[in-house]
Amino acid sequence: MESLLGAEDTVDGRALRRWVEFGVEALEQRRAEINSLNVFPVPDGDTGNNLLITLQAAAARIGGPVDGALTASDVAEGLARGAFAGARGNSGIILAQALRGLADAIAGLTTVGARDLAAAFSNAATLVTGALSAPAKGTIVSVLEAAADGATRVASETDATVCDVAVASADAAADALQRTTTQLDVLAEAGVVDAGGLGLLVLLDCLVEVTTGTRPDRRMVLAGASRPVVEPEIVDERSDSDQQEYEVMYLVGNSDDARIDALRSSLDALGDSVAIVAGESGCWSVHVHCCDPGAAVEAGLAAGSLSRIDITCFALESARRGCGDGPVVSAPVRAEPAGEQSRAVLAVVGGEGAAELFEAEGARVLRAEEISVHELLEAIRALPSRDVLVLPNGALSAQDVVAVGARARRDDRDVMFLPSSSVVQGLASLAVHDPMRATVDDAFAMSEAAACVRWGSLRYANERALTWVGTCEPGDSLGLAGHDVVVIEHDLVTAGASLLDRILAAGGELVTMLVGADAPDGLVEQLAAHLDRRHPEIDVVVYQGGQGSDLLQLGVE
C-alpha cells in the first residue's frame, strides 16, 4: 500500500486515525500470541486482551469518518481520553499513559513532523516511567524508552523524515524487545520476550506501515525458545491468603496531588505493579497487584471518591492457564479427557420461565432463590468441565464472586465470571456463546454482548428510603436503571412508561421484557402500547420469566 502521510512529509489527523485502525486489527490478529507470552508481572495470559480492549476504547473515542478534518492534536487527545476511560490491566494503563504523552507533546499541532514525532515518543516514555512506582527493566517500559531514544537519535539528523523516525523507533524497540529475555529472570526461564513489549512493537510497526506503506514482519525474529512445561503445584485449600493475588483497578476523583502521593505510598506498601495516571477533570486511574484487595480499595477511599472499581482474582492456579505452551500464533486448544465437556456455561437464574430460557440455550442453571456461596461452588465442582463460564446475573456480590472463583480454581478449574448484572444481560451474553471458540475469545464476546444491553427493572418499594430522585414510601412504584432508582410513581404503569423513556433516551432497536411472577395483569400490554405510541421503531420481545425479585425486568439493545 502507499504511504498515508499528509502534505510535506507530516502525520496529520487522518494518518493517526489509520494508525489506530491498523493497530486494532493487528492486536486482534496477534492477541493469542501476546497472551501466550504473558509471564510478568503475573502469568494470567491477558496482556493481549488488555492492550486490544484499551486501544479499542481509544479508537471509539475519536469516532467519525476516517477522512474527517480533525487535526493531529484533536485525534491524539481523543485517543488519550478514550484509552484512559477504557484502560484494562497493567499493560492497558501503560498504553493509556503513553497515548497521553503523545497527545500532550503535539497539543495544538495540525500536523506532526519528524522532530515533533520524536518529541512525542520521548514525552510518552517520560510519563509512563513517572506513573509507575517501580518500573522494571525488560518490560514494555524498556521497549518504549528504546523506541524514544531511537526516534530522538534519528530526528537530530538534518534531513530526517517522519518515515525515518517511525522506522528508527520501531527498529530500536525490536532490538530492545529481544533483550528483555536477558533482563528479567522470569522471561529467561520461560524463554520468551515480554508480552507488553511485543504489543507495543506491533503498534509501532503499524505506524511504520502508515508512513512507508509497508509493515515489517518480525514474527520469526521474535519467537523465543519453547517454554518448559511446569507441573502444577498442589496447594491445600487452607493455605494462607497471601498465596493469592488480586488485580485492583479504580478511578479516583475529588482528590489532589498530595493525597494521590499518599495513595501511591500506601499501595506500594500493599503490593506491586502500582501505576497511577492522571486523566481529565481531576481524575486518576489506579492499578495495583496485591493480596488484600479490600485494603487497596480502602486506601483509595482515603484519597478521594472512587468509581469503576474492578477486582480480578488471579488465584493460585492462574499461573497454569495457558502457560505450558510456547509462543503461539493462534489460541491453544487443550485436549479434554474422554467424557469431559470442553466448556460449560453456568447461569444463576431466578424464576421457572427464565430458567427454561437459559436451559434451552445449553446452559446449566442454578436457581437464584436458593443461592449461596457454598451452593455455587458445589455447582461448579459438579460440572464435568474444567473450563466454566459463569453468568451471575446480579445474584452475587463482587466479593462473593471473587471468593467463589478463587476456591473453584483450586480444584483445577478454569473459571471465569462474566459481567452480567441482570438476567436480560445474561440472555444476551448466552446468545453469542460459541463453544468452538477459544475460551478467552468466547468470554470476551459474551462480555461485550452483556455490556451492550442497558437494563432496568420495575418493583414496589417495601420500605421508606432515600434515593437519587427523592424519598420513596412503602408501596410506591419504583423504576430502576441498573441498580439505581430513577423513577418514583404511585402508579406502576406510569413508572414503567417513564423508565422506558429514560432508558431509550440513548437509543435502541429492541426491548426485551422479562415478566415476573407477581406482575399485575395488563402491565405488559399497557407498556407495549406506550412503546408503540412513543417509540414505534422499537421491536418488543416478551418472556414469562417468573422471577420474584422484579415485577418486570427490561433490556434494551
Side-chain angles (χ1 to χ4, degrees), residues 373-386:
V373 170
H374 175 73
E375 287 167 338
L376 178 57
L377 180 61
E378 290 304 311
I380 293 172
R381 287 171 170 169
L383 292 171
S385 309
R386 286 185 57 192

Side-chain angles (χ1 to χ4, degrees), residues 295-359:
V297 172
E298 288 177 3
L301 289 171
S305 58
L306 301 192
S307 61
R308 293 179 52 191
I309 302 172
D310 185 11
I311 301 174
T312 301
C313 178
F314 300 124
L316 298 174
E317 275 70 31
S318 65
R320 299 182 228 171
R321 197 179 318 153
C323 291
D325 303 311
V328 296
V329 176
S330 59
V333 178
R334 182 180 60 205
E336 300 288 353
E340 186 173 348
Q341 298 179 7
S342 61
R343 188 181 315 144
V345 177
L346 177 65
V348 182
V349 181
E352 187 64 34
E356 291 176 358
L357 291 173
F358 280 86
E359 289 172 341

